[in-house]
Amino acid sequence: MGTDFFDDLGETLSRTAREFGERAESLYETQKLRGKISSEERAVSRLMADLGKTLYRMYLKGGELTEEQLALCGQIDRHKDIISRYKAEVAGKKGKKICPCCGESVDKYVAFCPFCGAACPTQEHEEKAGDTVEHEASEEAEADETVGENAEEPMEEASEAAEETVEEASEEAEGPVEETPEAEK
C-alpha cells in the first residue's frame, strides 16, 4: 500500500505540474497576443495622427476640404493661438520672449534668435511697429467707411456659416466640441 500511495502522489503531482504548465503557456500566449494588439493599436493611432497632420497641412495650403474638416482645422488654429499666448505669457514672466520664426523662448533683449537666426524685434521696435499698425488700421477703417455698410454683410454671413459648420461638426462628433475662451469672443 505504501508504494501505491507514493505512485498516486507522484501521478497527481505530475498531472498538476502538466496542467500548471499548460495554463502558464496559455497565459504567456495570451499576453503575447495582447502585446501585439497594443502594438497594432499604437500604429493605428500614429497613422491617424499623421492623417490629421496631412489634412491640416492641406488646410494651411488652401487645399479643398469638407466643411467638417475646415471646422476642425479652425478649432486647431484657435487652440494654437491660445497656446502661443500662454507661451508668450510664460516667457514674459521669465524675462524672455518667443521667437516669431521657430517659437523658442529667447532673452527679451536679443535682436536675433540664437536657435534659428531669425530677427527677433525688441520691445522698442515692436512699439514703433504698433504705432505704424494703428495708423494703417485707422486708414483702412476710413477706406472701409467709404465702401459702405454693404461690405459688412458678407462678413456676417461668413461668420454665421462658420458657426453653423462648427455646430454640425460638434453634433456629428462623438462628444460635444469644447468652446475655448477665444471662440466665445
Side-chain angles (χ1 to χ4, degrees), residues 1-2 15 19 22 28 30-31 36 63 77 90 121 172:
M1 261 202 204
R15 187 176 56 240
E19 288 173 1
E22 289 171 1
Y28 172 74
T30 302
Q31 285 302 106
K36 288 180 179 182
D77 284 345
V90 167
E172 291 177 9

Side-chain angles (χ1 to χ4, degrees), residues 4-185:
D4 290 336
F5 173 75
F6 287 114
D7 287 341
D8 290 341
L9 181 62
E11 190 177 308
T12 303
L13 288 174
S14 294
R15 187 176 56 240
T16 304
R18 209 174 24 255
E19 288 173 1
F20 180 72
E22 289 171 1
R23 287 182 187 166
E25 186 176 330
S26 175
L27 180 63
Y28 172 74
E29 291 298 321
T30 302
Q31 285 302 106
K32 199 167 140 182
L33 289 172
R34 286 184 181 158
K36 288 180 179 182
I37 290 169
S38 293
S39 176
E40 292 300 318
E41 287 175 339
R42 284 191 302 273
V44 168
S45 292
R46 280 192 304 271
L47 290 169
M48 293 288 274
D50 289 344
L51 176 62
K53 289 176 184 175
T54 301
L55 284 173
Y56 187 69
R57 281 193 295 266
M58 283 177 54
Y59 162 76
L60 292 176
K61 291 179 181 177
E64 191 172 314
L65 301 175
T66 67
E67 289 182 23
E68 182 181 9
Q69 292 166 337
L70 289 171
L72 292 172
C73 289
Q75 289 178 5
I76 290 170
D77 284 345
R78 286 191 294 278
H79 287 290
K80 282 186 165 194
D81 288 343
I82 291 169
I83 290 168
S84 295
R85 284 189 297 228
Y86 287 157
K87 283 183 176 182
E89 190 174 331
V90 167
K93 289 183 183 292
K94 292 180 176 182
K96 297 185 175 228
K97 62 183 174 183
I98 302 296
C99 171
C101 187
C102 70
E104 290 288 333
S105 180
V106 298
D107 186 67
K108 68 179 180 180
Y109 298 109
V110 299
F112 295 95
C113 176
F115 299 99
C116 69
C120 292
T122 59
Q123 193 167 5
E124 296 170 359
H125 185 261
E126 288 175 355
E127 289 172 1
K128 289 179 184 176
D131 292 341
T132 305
V133 169
E134 288 176 14
H135 178 71
E136 290 173 358
S138 65
E139 287 178 357
E140 288 178 14
E142 290 173 10
D144 286 345
E145 288 176 11
T146 60
V147 171
E149 290 183 80
N150 292 337
E152 293 178 7
E153 290 176 12
M155 290 298 291
E156 291 173 6
E157 291 172 8
S159 177
E160 290 171 6
E163 288 175 13
E164 289 173 9
T165 302
V166 169
E167 288 173 10
E168 289 171 5
S170 173
E171 291 169 4
E172 291 177 9
E174 290 179 4
V177 175
E178 293 182 19
E179 290 286 329
T180 60
E182 182 66 18
E184 293 175 0
K185 289 183 180 178

